[in-house]
Amino acid sequence: MRIGINATCLNDRPSGARQRFAGIFQELLHMRPDDEFVVFEPGDCAVASWFAGAANLRAVRTPLDSNNRLQRAARGALYWPAALARERFDLFEAQNLPATWPRRGARLLTIHDVRGLRADAGPLERRVYPRILAASIANADRVVVVSDAVRRELLAFAPDASVSVVHNGIDPARFARPDAPTLDAVSRELGLPRRFLLSVGHLERRKNYPALLEAMAALAPSQPDLHLLIVGNDSGEGTRIAADIRRQGLGERVRLLSGVPDCQLRALYASCSALVFASTYEGFGIPLLEAMAMSAPMAISDIPAFREVAADAAAYFDPCDPADIAGTVAGLLASPGERESLARAGRNRLPAFTFRTLAAGLSAAYDEAIAARTDDRARGRER
């Protein structure tokens, strides 16, 4: 069987999509050794190098830019018809929108979230995204989403879609807790404060950092030695967040860290008093898994995806209410027993999110998409 994958939206920048693809496909390549996988890479990232030594993987470098959606769409309209005509796939997986399909073979679409359907999306996105999403789903044999929360949103939009849930995952070995000398070394390198909250996520609007900073300002009088470290690359909100830090008078109490390597990130999770994740919308939330692996207690937004992933392993707050954020965090900091209980519950949830388990789910979705296409052809409905 030949399986093609449009991975032109992926690059080396840390992201949930990158971590998911690298982890699940490493297992999938081993799980399906008799299948040939053809990965279409962006021009700015050797995606196939993440799977060095895989005998059943071939890379095709494209002229498409992983960081430029408009360029990928415009140039892709010219690139894909000829590129796909040279191949013959039993199944083709699209990792991003708009989905471009070969004329023959089964079609599978992976969707991480549907934020473009939300009322707080930009005006242009609200006009364009639903049309692109509807067309991509209509021509897919199977849609894979990262959470049941996204599945419910998607089915509310497209009730006839065939949808499978394959969660994001984590490699517990890669996120093993650092030893004491490593923790001490990272603490010296970064000049870590004795007590700090950690928030992990790119600097973008839905991460809701202004509300978190307002909560931090409310905590400051009663927690004079408490700091906040925000780890994430600037995705358009960096200037605003830096201004909010100054406006709230937080000064050195809040630090923005970007380009943090994994070794330091693990140490930050292991050393923090709690992970605080105040997003107003997520399709999943990989930092929750990372915190669980590091036994970090969590105070997080009460949103559907987070409830699904963390269950009883977190304390929840209303992300639109800075006072509730502050109160939930204060309660967690005041209770060592609750912090240990939440950390233990998080460790117990991790086996459900191993990449081997998730790869089996994606493999089943492949087979279901191929079976659906075969059934359509038998009924004379080849698209």
Side-chain angles (χ1 to χ4, degrees), residues 42-117:
D44 54 335
C45 181
V47 172
S49 66
W50 303 344
F51 314 101
N56 56 337
L57 176 67
R58 176 168 66 88
V60 176
R61 182 60 63 94
T62 75
L64 308 180
D65 186 338
S66 67
N67 287 302
N68 190 327
R69 291 184 182 181
L70 291 179
Q71 188 263 18
R72 284 204 313 274
R75 186 173 290 183
L78 300 174
Y79 171 80
W80 286 114
L84 294 177
R86 290 192 291 268
E87 307 279 357
R88 190 176 183 89
F89 294 119
D90 297 284
L91 179 138
F92 189 80
E93 178 179 0
Q95 292 275 334
N96 61 282
L97 301 174
T100 302
W101 306 109
R103 294 184 62 187
R104 296 178 176 84
R107 301 165 178 179
L108 184 139
L109 174 64
T110 291
I111 294 178
H112 291 262
D113 61 55
V114 287
R115 72 185 82 162
L117 298 178

Side-chain angles (χ1 to χ4, degrees), residues 22 52-54 71 75 80 92 109 195 220 233 275 294 332-333 360:
Q71 188 263 18
R75 186 173 290 183
W80 286 114
F92 189 80
L109 174 64
R195 295 175 69 234
N233 297 325
L275 174 77
M294 290 291 100
L332 189 58
L333 294 175

